[in-house]
Amino acid sequence: MTAHPILDVRGLHKRFGDHHVLKGIDFTVEPGERVAIIGGSGSGKSTFLRCLNFMEVLSEGEIRLDGTRIGLERKGTVTYPEKQLCQVRERLGMVFQQFNLFPHMSVLDNVMEGLVTVKGLPKPEARRIAEAELAKVGLTDKHSAWPGRLSGGQQQRVAIARALSMQPEILLFDEPTSSLDPELVGEVLRVIKQLAEEKRTMLLVTHELGFAYHFATKVIFLADGVFHEVGTPDEVLKTPSKPRTQDFLRRFGEFAF
Amino acid sequence: MNYVPDFSIVTDNWIVLLRGLLVTIEIWIPSILIGLAGGFLLAQARLARSGWLRGVSLVYVELFRDTPVLIQLIWFFYAFPILVGLQLSPYAAALLALVLNTSAYASEIFRGGIRSIHRGQMEGALAIGMSRAQAMRRVILPQVVKRMLPAFTNRTIEVAKMSSLASVISVHELMYQGRLLSSTYYRPFEILTAVAFIYFVLIYPGTFLAGRLEKHLARSN
Ligand SMILES: Nc1ncnc2c1ncn2[C@@H]1O[C@H](COP(=O)(O)OP(=O)(O)OP(=O)(O)O)[C@@H](O)[C@H]1O
Ligand SMILES: [Mg+2]
């Protein structure tokens, strides 16, 4: 018996006007899986992640979360009631390249915000959870700081704590280290690695191929709007079978030492 | 100069000026409060997906921004009643005109403010499960208000000053009372100086407090 997928994507298409970015993606995620998504710039990696939590509306296809279809289909047209999307987004935490912290709130308030406003928890309880999440990402001493005063690495760790505070079933990371100075990348990757050790279900879009290799249970190479090659880290990153993947990895490794 | 100012004319009639001041405040504060709410709704319409809503909001704003306030006041007192078959009191006409006018300006301030808040802020809020309304209230608006405070302060001051125009349709506000007194006693110097001073005393504390508030809000920068 196989565990039933927590996330099930079928026939996903996304168009921006005439620009057909995702061209029919079928994809499942089992609980505890960690998926790394790689691919060229503009290949649609972000768009794919953003479709999963409905930051973008699908042009075609369907998404099931824990077996339940998202959206209401009536006479061939699908609508997405806001209430349902809010619930979905609560269950899928997202971490952005640009952190997107709320600059007018302290670090602690950033992490408490979803607990209070979305989950409706009383403040003391929200505070307790937020403090625990901040401790987990190593920011116990920054509760009252303004986000704008923190380094990029610290800001991204707050953003991770904010996502974790909602106890999401799946975490989506969209290039979480791409806007960081090189010396700050490690502190964020260490937090993500720790989440991997806790067997959390995660999807990670990244250009850090070395990290992807150690982190992922499955690697996807996205090209031309489809999952061009899918496999274990060894299969995709060490012995890719498709020329296109080999080419991508070669260009990536060009200046490695 | 051999003119000897005699301000007893002002102190003797302070009750008349006070009554005028109260009416000024009764025009000013509701115009600002209702105008801000109206402006927020107009800005939402202007940023809506529906082209129809955007169009209506745009036309409205331009009509009020591109015509003199004086004609708007007079129009709502003399012309509007003909259109709807309902006579308005001078006060109601003035309030209506100033509310609509303030809405138009406030909508531009809100629109600029909302657009200047990075799209990532809305997404960050949605991503933790907030509804659009919650995101607006908890994340976007506080930042808009902070960023737009100088513009809102300006508008508030403008409206206080604009309210004096309501004297032309015989609203018994401060300017009206001042003009009445000065033509009754032929003492324009004392009375108009006093009226100007009262406007200053009315408006300045607001400017001062807004400055303090701005500093307070800027602490997270
Ligand atoms: N809101 C949008 N409107 C129009 N086109 C868009 C929009 N968002 C993305 N695109 C286009 O879709 C394509 C895929 O974009 P996407 O951001 O998903 O790429 P990506 O793989 O994440 O790239 P990168 O590595 O640079 O982040 C790009 O050509 C982009 O220009
Ligand atoms: Mg991207």
Side-chain angles (χ1 to χ4, degrees), chain A residues 42 44-47 97 174-175 205 207:
Chain A
K45 305 178 298 295
S46 298
T47 303
Q97 184 175 342
D174 189 2
E175 301 198 34
V205 170
H207 291 296

PDB file of all heavy atoms in Angstrom, chain A residues 42 44-47 97 174-175 205 207, ligand 2:
ATOM      1  N   GLY A  42      13.508  32.168 -15.777  1.00  0.00           N
ATOM      2  CA  GLY A  42      12.331  32.377 -16.617  1.00  0.00           C
ATOM      3  C   GLY A  42      11.669  31.090 -17.079  1.00  0.00           C
ATOM      4  O   GLY A  42      10.752  31.104 -17.889  1.00  0.00           O
ATOM      5  N   GLY A  44       9.867  29.150 -15.308  1.00  0.00           N
ATOM      6  CA  GLY A  44       8.554  28.984 -14.687  1.00  0.00           C
ATOM      7  C   GLY A  44       8.583  28.313 -13.321  1.00  0.00           C
ATOM      8  O   GLY A  44       7.549  27.871 -12.828  1.00  0.00           O
ATOM      9  N   LYS A  45       9.753  28.275 -12.687  1.00  0.00           N
ATOM     10  CA  LYS A  45       9.861  27.632 -11.364  1.00  0.00           C
ATOM     11  C   LYS A  45       9.009  28.359 -10.334  1.00  0.00           C
ATOM     12  O   LYS A  45       8.233  27.750  -9.594  1.00  0.00           O
ATOM     13  CB  LYS A  45      11.326  27.613 -10.900  1.00  0.00           C
ATOM     14  CG  LYS A  45      12.278  26.969 -11.884  1.00  0.00           C
ATOM     15  CD  LYS A  45      13.722  27.011 -11.397  1.00  0.00           C
ATOM     16  CE  LYS A  45      14.293  28.409 -11.212  1.00  0.00           C
ATOM     17  NZ  LYS A  45      14.423  29.183 -12.462  1.00  0.00           N
ATOM     18  N   SER A  46       9.159  29.693 -10.298  1.00  0.00           N
ATOM     19  CA  SER A  46       8.373  30.471  -9.338  1.00  0.00           C
ATOM     20  C   SER A  46       6.892  30.349  -9.647  1.00  0.00           C
ATOM     21  O   SER A  46       6.069  30.157  -8.748  1.00  0.00           O
ATOM     22  CB  SER A  46       8.758  31.948  -9.388  1.00  0.00           C
ATOM     23  OG  SER A  46      10.103  32.098  -9.037  1.00  0.00           O
ATOM     24  N   THR A  47       6.574  30.448 -10.923  1.00  0.00           N
ATOM     25  CA  THR A  47       5.168  30.357 -11.325  1.00  0.00           C
ATOM     26  C   THR A  47       4.575  29.034 -10.861  1.00  0.00           C
ATOM     27  O   THR A  47       3.455  28.987 -10.363  1.00  0.00           O
ATOM     28  CB  THR A  47       5.054  30.483 -12.854  1.00  0.00           C
ATOM     29  OG1 THR A  47       5.665  31.719 -13.247  1.00  0.00           O
ATOM     30  CG2 THR A  47       3.611  30.464 -13.310  1.00  0.00           C
ATOM     31  N   GLN A  97      11.794  34.819  -2.031  1.00  0.00           N
ATOM     32  CA  GLN A  97      13.159  35.290  -2.271  1.00  0.00           C
ATOM     33  C   GLN A  97      13.418  36.622  -1.549  1.00  0.00           C
ATOM     34  O   GLN A  97      14.471  36.842  -0.983  1.00  0.00           O
ATOM     35  CB  GLN A  97      13.348  35.443  -3.778  1.00  0.00           C
ATOM     36  CG  GLN A  97      14.735  35.829  -4.195  1.00  0.00           C
ATOM     37  CD  GLN A  97      14.878  35.839  -5.713  1.00  0.00           C
ATOM     38  OE1 GLN A  97      14.075  35.254  -6.434  1.00  0.00           O
ATOM     39  NE2 GLN A  97      15.901  36.496  -6.202  1.00  0.00           N
ATOM     40  N   ASP A 174      10.871  29.614  -2.392  1.00  0.00           N
ATOM     41  CA  ASP A 174      11.219  30.114  -3.721  1.00  0.00           C
ATOM     42  C   ASP A 174      12.553  30.843  -3.666  1.00  0.00           C
ATOM     43  O   ASP A 174      12.616  32.017  -3.299  1.00  0.00           O
ATOM     44  CB  ASP A 174      10.117  31.035  -4.258  1.00  0.00           C
ATOM     45  CG  ASP A 174      10.344  31.383  -5.730  1.00  0.00           C
ATOM     46  OD1 ASP A 174      11.318  30.873  -6.316  1.00  0.00           O
ATOM     47  OD2 ASP A 174       9.538  32.153  -6.275  1.00  0.00           O
ATOM     48  N   GLU A 175      13.597  30.153  -4.039  1.00  0.00           N
ATOM     49  CA  GLU A 175      14.955  30.715  -4.014  1.00  0.00           C
ATOM     50  C   GLU A 175      15.226  31.507  -2.735  1.00  0.00           C
ATOM     51  O   GLU A 175      15.512  32.705  -2.787  1.00  0.00           O
ATOM     52  CB  GLU A 175      15.172  31.619  -5.234  1.00  0.00           C
ATOM     53  CG  GLU A 175      14.986  30.877  -6.545  1.00  0.00           C
ATOM     54  CD  GLU A 175      15.619  31.614  -7.706  1.00  0.00           C
ATOM     55  OE1 GLU A 175      16.666  32.255  -7.493  1.00  0.00           O
ATOM     56  OE2 GLU A 175      15.075  31.541  -8.820  1.00  0.00           O
ATOM     57  N   VAL A 205      12.692  25.694  -4.623  1.00  0.00           N
ATOM     58  CA  VAL A 205      13.263  26.160  -5.886  1.00  0.00           C
ATOM     59  C   VAL A 205      14.614  26.757  -5.555  1.00  0.00           C
ATOM     60  O   VAL A 205      14.712  27.591  -4.652  1.00  0.00           O
ATOM     61  CB  VAL A 205      12.369  27.232  -6.542  1.00  0.00           C
ATOM     62  CG1 VAL A 205      13.093  27.880  -7.720  1.00  0.00           C
ATOM     63  CG2 VAL A 205      11.054  26.630  -6.984  1.00  0.00           C
ATOM     64  N   HIS A 207      18.995  27.589  -6.868  1.00  0.00           N
ATOM     65  CA  HIS A 207      20.139  27.505  -7.760  1.00  0.00           C
ATOM     66  C   HIS A 207      21.335  26.912  -7.020  1.00  0.00           C
ATOM     67  O   HIS A 207      22.419  26.779  -7.583  1.00  0.00           O
ATOM     68  CB  HIS A 207      20.505  28.891  -8.305  1.00  0.00           C
ATOM     69  CG  HIS A 207      19.486  29.436  -9.261  1.00  0.00           C
ATOM     70  ND1 HIS A 207      19.214  28.836 -10.459  1.00  0.00           N
ATOM     71  CD2 HIS A 207      18.661  30.510  -9.174  1.00  0.00           C
ATOM     72  CE1 HIS A 207      18.267  29.516 -11.087  1.00  0.00           C
ATOM     73  NE2 HIS A 207      17.909  30.534 -10.315  1.00  0.00           N
TER      74      HIS A 207
HETATM   75 MG    MG C   2      11.723  32.677  -9.765  1.00  0.00          MG
END
